Amino acid sequence: MPHLVDSITPATYGETNVLTLTRCHELLREAHDYLARRGKEAARRATLVENAASWGSALKRVRVELPRDDRPRLVREANDRHSLAEVMNQCATMERLLDALAWAQTEGSSLSSFNVAVCHPTTSSAAGDTSVDDNDLILTAANGGRARFEVSDVASSTDGARKEERDLRNLGVLREGIGARRFEVDWPDARVFLVVSSEFAVKLQSRRWQHLVYREAFRCAETRVLEAVRRPSTPTMS
């Protein structure tokens, strides 16, 4: 099944095989705004459902229509109709990602000279597969520097789905399993970040991992960018 929004790579969307932060942000903003407009139209139709006896069933079946005549580049391959809930959730995640890309372009991020190696706006192609070095967003610099991001929009201060642990495993800073072996990792040769909602950041910043701490790199009204930093004198894999 086609993704709602295509992945962005230098080979497909870069100029001279280079994808700048600015270009990636522009492409993603265009896709987000299109989906948000179509989602708002579907939400308007949802407000017209008045029959209380079948309200849930009717609302569940409201679809976001994606006409092909005005689609932006990143949405060209998407299916013609999507659930309103899916589009809403994906737009929320893209809003966190847009904030992270905007921050990365600032001098204070120390990432403004980096370029985009890959960006997965609505899915991570290697999610859950720690043998593959892939994340929602990966930035690279000419000197070999790398920055890796996992992005989500958990809209609460709880983590019943264990999203934090999944993202840390995808970043290579947590292992599968139980007990102390989970913390015996070869720390990635990259800066690693979680990009989350302001609500979920409350949960993460209360965490006390024995091998890492979170440092808040950026905050705005709805988004927090938290860098996972290794604690001194923590074990490594043998």
Side-chain angles (χ1 to χ4, degrees), residues 67-138:
R68 292 188 172 270
D69 56 355
D70 65 341
R71 289 189 183 191
R73 294 179 66 181
L74 296 184
V75 191
R76 286 179 181 173
E77 301 304 317
N79 291 333
D80 293 342
R81 306 172 78 235
H82 287 264
S83 77
L84 177 56
E86 178 191 7
V87 172
M88 176 187 66
N89 288 334
Q90 299 291 10
C91 279
T93 299
M94 284 190 283
E95 287 156 18
R96 305 289 77 75
L97 180 53
L98 282 163
D99 285 341
L101 284 166
W103 164 72
Q105 293 176 67
T106 66
E107 289 297 326
S109 72
S110 300
L111 300 173
S112 59
S113 63
F114 283 52
N115 291 311
V116 178
V118 66
C119 176
H120 300 298
T122 56
T123 184
S124 182
S125 64
D129 183 357
T130 56
S131 66
V132 179
D133 184 7
D134 198 11
N135 300 104
D136 294 332
L137 176 66
I138 299 179

Side-chain angles (χ1 to χ4, degrees), residues 21 24-26 28-29 32 91-106 109 111 119 137 139 149 151-153 194-198 217-226:
L21 292 165
C24 186
H25 189 276
E26 290 173 348
L28 187 61
R29 171 59 68 188
H32 168 274
C91 279
T93 299
M94 284 190 283
E95 287 156 18
R96 305 289 77 75
L97 180 53
L98 282 163
D99 285 341
L101 284 166
W103 164 72
Q105 293 176 67
T106 66
S109 72
L111 300 173
C119 176
L137 176 66
L139 309 181
F149 299 76
V151 184
S152 65
D153 186 67
L194 297 182
V195 182
V196 300
S197 69
S198 57
F218 170 75
R219 71 159 54 199
C220 61
E222 297 180 347
T223 302
R224 302 289 186 271
V225 178
L226 304 179

Side-chain angles (χ1 to χ4, degrees), residues 198-217:
S198 57
E199 302 98 322
F200 197 49
V202 173
K203 165 68 174 179
L204 300 187
Q205 291 172 312
S206 69
R207 274 289 222 172
R208 294 296 180 264
W209 292 103
Q210 71 178 49
H211 70 312
L212 67 82
V213 295
Y214 292 120
R215 293 180 182 169
E216 185 175 89

Side-chain angles (χ1 to χ4, degrees), residues 169-191:
R169 288 197 298 270
N170 286 342
L171 290 169
V173 296
L174 190 70
R175 297 181 68 185
E176 292 274 8
I178 60 175
R181 279 186 56 81
R182 292 195 301 161
F183 315 126
E184 297 172 359
V185 296
D186 285 328
W187 200 263
D189 185 18
R191 295 176 67 185

Side-chain angles (χ1 to χ4, degrees), residues 18-62:
V18 173
L19 180 60
T20 65
L21 292 165
T22 300
R23 177 61 174 153
C24 186
H25 189 276
E26 290 173 348
L27 288 164
L28 187 61
R29 171 59 68 188
E30 182 183 44
H32 168 274
D33 290 357
Y34 168 80
L35 292 172
R37 288 194 301 271
R38 303 308 305 169
K40 287 172 63 177
E41 192 280 328
R44 182 194 61 78
R45 285 187 278 113
T47 64
L48 301 179
V49 177
E50 296 182 351
N51 187 348
S54 60
W55 180 84
S57 298
L59 199 64
K60 182 178 177 180
R61 287 160 176 76
V62 172

